[in-house]
Every structure is written in structure tokens, then in C-alpha cells.
Amino acid sequence: MIKTCSNCAGRLVYDIAKRGVKCCSCESVFTVEEIPEVNDQNNLETSDKIQRMMDCNVYTCNSCGAEIVINDTEASTFCVYCGNPSIVFSRMTSMKRPECIIPFTVTREQAEQIIRERIGNGRLVPEAIKNFTVETLRPIYIPYYITDISCAGSALMSSVVGSGKNSHTYYYFRKAQCDFTHVSTDASKKLADSSSERLEPFNYKKIVEFDEDYLLGFYADMSDVPMLEAQNTARSRAVNLFEQSMIESVKEGSNKKVDSKRLNARINGNSRTALFPAWFLTFRYEDQPYTILVNGQTGKVVGGVPWDKPKYTAIYVGLMVILTAILTLVFAGLFYAIGHIDDSDSAGDLIEIVIFICIFAGSSFCTGLKRLKSVKKSIERTTATTLTSFANKRQSVD
């Protein structure tokens, strides 16, 4: 089903910049409410079915038999699975309609610019990546479940105050209740949760009732995750947030932990199905595809790119040489001072300074390693085959 312009019968697409539906031929712009429904509503049964279901087009490849399901977008002239140009319309099917949607507000040009600026600011990013050529840039609505959850319970926590022989363990009891609204969970098995969760948060104040006209010219995936599974995921997330809030309420000490707890989470009503916007940009570097996501509402970027390893090695070695030289001079001066001090208290103070410097250097090194591991995991997500497939196994709507 492709909707047409009432003025010239041209194809209609949703225009992000104009926040309305635009004709590709005469460039007339309409609000979503102005686009008439084309469904047959002869009786209440048909009307109710229309409200719960939506029509999708199915295209079949004559070569490999792959089926492509799309919503109000132009068909490709080639199969995205095998590349064969022989692909024909086979049938229409009905899929369950989402209940609400957050429309795109970030345009194609803005999404690309955001990614270029993000990558361009990386000092260790190779020049070839900074000047990447866009292979695909696809606007995709990702299916989510939205769940409201009430949490209540109590916990006994401990915290260590002080250090060494002067340390003491204190215990704290907390009892609380909290309502979590709009707990979102990814409803697509094709997209890894590690990617979809990092697109959050979305601004739920901009959520609107679903209308198929928002999908004109866009891709949209339908939910393939059972509601019960999504609710269990949402409940787990809410409980973790609830527990973390109780831990953070203990202000004193370190090594804070929960020793025992009794927590309960209740789902309030049914979860709502929703579509949230995201841009998927794919480029190649050294024959490896990288896919970076951009939140289609807020512009948040999710993904990582390789760094210039020779430059990284040179900077790392240079810093280590400088740091070693500085520490050598500092330690030499401190030990010399310790050897010429008769006062044991003063000598002890200097020794504590030496220990502090060692701890600080070790902590900085560990922080650097942790950051490096985080970057590597981000790159792994960006190069994941499932993510590339999710974005690329679709026909172009350009």
C-alpha cells in the first residue's frame, strides 16, 4: 500500500524537517491527520481488525526465494540477500499495528553530520575513517515494548568507612517503594539488546498515537519478542535500578554492597508496543563494514571505530617514557630526603607520599586499560554481523 497525493497522485513520504507528509512530485505538504485512510470499513469487525493490524507488502526473489517485507516504501530492483535483479511483488500480508510511535526528528543530513563530527573529533581515528564514504544510511523504526512497573522492598547493606586498621564496617537498612514508568525493552530479536539499549533515553513527551503515515518512506521492523519475555526483561531492569538507588542512598564509606534483600516488582497493566526511530549508517574500512547508530529523536551516537594503532603506540610509549622519568626523579628525591631525616614521623609522611604516587599511577593505568576494553567492545558491536545485516538486508528507499 503506497499512499498518493490528493493534488497530483504522486507518492507520499514523511518529511522529517517539515514534520509532515510530503508529495515527491508536487512537493505539497500535509499533516498526518490530513491523509485519508484508504482501508475498507464496511462493518465493525473489519474496522476493529484494521485498527489492530496493518498491511505490508511482501516481495519475493526469483533466484533465492528470499522474502522482503516492507511498509509503504518503494520496492528494490534487486534482492538484498543474493543481489539478483529479478524480484517481484508476491502478496500482501497483515501485521499487528504498534500502539504508539516517536517520529523521526533528526534528518538524514543531520545524522550523517553528527557521525562525521563525532568521528572527526577523535585524535586517534585514522584519516581514512574520518573521510569515510557512506555505504548505506537507513532510517529504521525499531520495535519496543513500554512497561510500567512498581517496585517495593527492603535491603540490608554494608559499607566500609576508613582504611587499614582504622576501617569499620557499618550496616544500613533501607525500605522503599518506587514506580517506574515507560521502561522500554527492545522487541526485535534481530537487533542486539546491547545496541538498542544504548540508544536510550528517548523523550516520551514526544510520543504519539501510531499512524501508518509516519512510516511513509521509512523502514519499520515489527515485534518478534513475546510480551511476557519483554516484561521479564523490563522487570529485571527496574529491580536493578531500584537496588542501585538504595545503594546510592548510603553516602558514607566505600565497598558498599547489599547483604540481604527482599524486593518485589509488579507489572502495571499490559505493555504497550511502540516504534522508536534510529539511523543506521554503514561504511567500510579495510574491507570491514562498520555500522553506527544514531538516535532518530535525540541524535545520540552509538558505536565505535578503529584507532590508528601506530599513532596510539607512539603516544603510549612517549607518555610512559615521560612518566617513568618523572617518577624516577620524584622517587629519587623522596628516598634521598627520607635517608637524611631523623624524625621518624616526617619520614613516615614521605613514605605515605610515595605509596600514594604508586597507587595513583597504578589506578591511572587500570583506568586506561578499562577504557581501552570499553572501546574494543564498542567496536565489536559496530562490526557485529547481526547489526550490519539488520541495516543492510533491506531495499533502498532513496
Side-chain angles (χ1 to χ4, degrees):
M1 179 185 66
I2 296 179
K3 295 191 176 182
T4 57
C5 175
S6 57
N7 296 330
C8 69
R11 185 172 67 91
L12 296 175
V13 296
Y14 185 81
D15 189 292
I16 299 173
K18 297 183 181 299
R19 305 289 192 271
V21 180
K22 178 182 176 181
C23 175
C24 295
S25 299
C26 68
E27 298 189 349
S28 298
V29 179
F30 310 90
T31 64
V32 171
E33 292 75 16
E34 291 174 335
I35 305 300
E37 293 292 339
V38 297
N39 297 306
D40 180 22
Q41 299 188 18
N42 293 326
N43 52 59
L44 291 177
E45 182 180 352
T46 302
S47 177
D48 180 65
K49 182 179 179 181
I50 289 170
Q51 291 178 11
R52 290 183 288 108
M53 309 297 290
M54 59 184 292
D55 291 333
C56 298
N57 297 327
V58 179
Y59 289 81
T60 304
C61 176
N62 288 339
S63 177
C64 68
E67 289 188 341
I68 303 171
V69 180
I70 61 174
N71 299 275
D72 289 331
T73 57
E74 288 185 335
S76 173
T77 56
F78 63 91
C79 176
V80 293
Y81 294 93
C82 70
N84 192 290
S86 179
I87 181 170
V88 296
F89 172 76
S90 59
R91 70 183 190 279
M92 291 186 66
T93 186
S94 293
M95 302 183 73
K96 188 175 181 180
R97 289 167 56 97
E99 297 174 59
C100 48
I101 187 172
I102 295 180
F104 273 88
T105 56
V106 176
T107 66
R108 177 183 299 270
E109 293 75 19
Q110 290 172 337
E112 181 177 345
Q113 184 62 26
I114 289 171
I115 294 176
R116 289 194 182 278
E117 289 178 357
R118 176 73 173 270
I119 294 178
N121 292 331
R123 296 182 180 180
L124 296 178
V125 177
E127 291 300 322
I129 293 182
K130 290 184 178 181
N131 300 314
F132 67 85
T133 299
V134 177
E135 186 171 295
T136 58
L137 180 55
R138 306 192 188 282
I140 303 175
Y141 278 107
I142 303 173
Y144 282 81
Y145 281 106
I146 302 176
T147 309
D148 295 337
I149 303 173
S150 294
C151 289
S154 58
L156 179 64
M157 296 168 289
S158 60
S159 176
V160 178
V161 178
S163 60
K165 296 181 179 180
N166 297 322
S167 65
H168 299 279
T169 300
Y170 292 89
Y171 294 91
Y172 304 84
F173 179 78
R174 293 288 188 270
K175 185 176 182 180
Q177 180 178 348
C178 182
D179 292 329
F180 294 90
T181 60
H182 299 102
V183 179
S184 58
T185 51
D186 175 14
S188 173
K189 293 181 179 179
K190 306 181 191 72
L191 185 62
D193 292 345
S194 58
S195 296
S196 58
E197 288 180 5
R198 282 171 173 76
L199 280 170
E200 300 175 20
F202 289 88
N203 182 3
Y204 292 103
K205 292 182 179 180
K206 301 298 182 181
I207 200 168
V208 297
E209 183 180 352
F210 177 78
D211 191 306
E212 291 180 35
D213 294 333
Y214 287 110
L215 303 185
L216 293 170
F218 294 86
Y219 300 103
D221 261 34
M222 296 296 104
S223 170
D224 56 4
V225 175
M227 181 180 292
L228 181 59
E229 180 180 335
Q231 288 180 338
N232 289 334
T233 301
R235 182 186 287 108
S236 177
R237 292 184 66 183
V239 169
N240 289 336
L241 289 171
F242 185 61
E243 183 176 330
Q244 186 61 36
S245 295
M246 287 197 291
I247 293 176
E248 292 175 355
S249 70
V250 177
K251 304 300 182 181
E252 303 83 10
S254 59
N255 297 325
K256 292 177 285 188
K257 63 178 181 178
V258 175
D259 296 311
S260 63
K261 60 184 177 181
R262 294 188 63 180
L263 305 179
N264 179 54
R266 184 184 73 253
I267 303 294
N268 298 328
N270 291 326
S271 300
R272 291 185 294 164
T273 53
L275 292 178
F276 294 166
W279 287 96
F280 288 67
L281 184 147
T282 301
F283 65 90
R284 285 187 176 271
Y285 175 67
E286 296 182 349
D287 204 32
Q288 171 70 51
Y290 292 85
T291 300
I292 298 178
L293 282 62
V294 177
N295 184 311
Q297 182 195 39
T298 66
K300 180 181 179 181
V301 178
V302 175
V305 296
W307 63 88
D308 191 325
K309 293 182 179 179
K311 184 185 292 187
Y312 171 79
T313 302
I315 294 176
Y316 179 79
V317 171
L319 290 175
M320 289 301 295
V321 170
I322 295 173
L323 181 61
T324 301
I326 294 174
L327 290 178
T328 299
L329 293 174
V330 171
F331 286 157
L334 288 173
F335 285 127
Y336 177 81
I338 292 173
H340 289 76
I341 291 179
D342 296 330
D343 185 356
S344 59
D345 291 337
S346 299
D349 292 340
L350 289 175
I351 292 174
E352 288 184 1
I353 293 175
V354 172
I355 295 174
F356 173 78
I357 292 175
C358 292
I359 294 175
F360 176 77
S363 176
S364 299
F365 180 75
C366 291
T367 301
L369 286 180
K370 186 177 180 180
R371 173 60 180 166
L372 183 60
K373 289 181 180 179
S374 175
V375 171
K376 287 183 176 180
K377 286 184 179 180
S378 182
I379 293 174
E380 288 174 2
R381 287 192 296 269
T382 305
T383 57
T385 304
T386 53
L387 180 59
T388 306
S389 259
F390 184 86
N392 286 346
K393 286 188 176 180
R394 305 163 190 273
Q395 67 280 13
S396 175
V397 293
D398 293 337

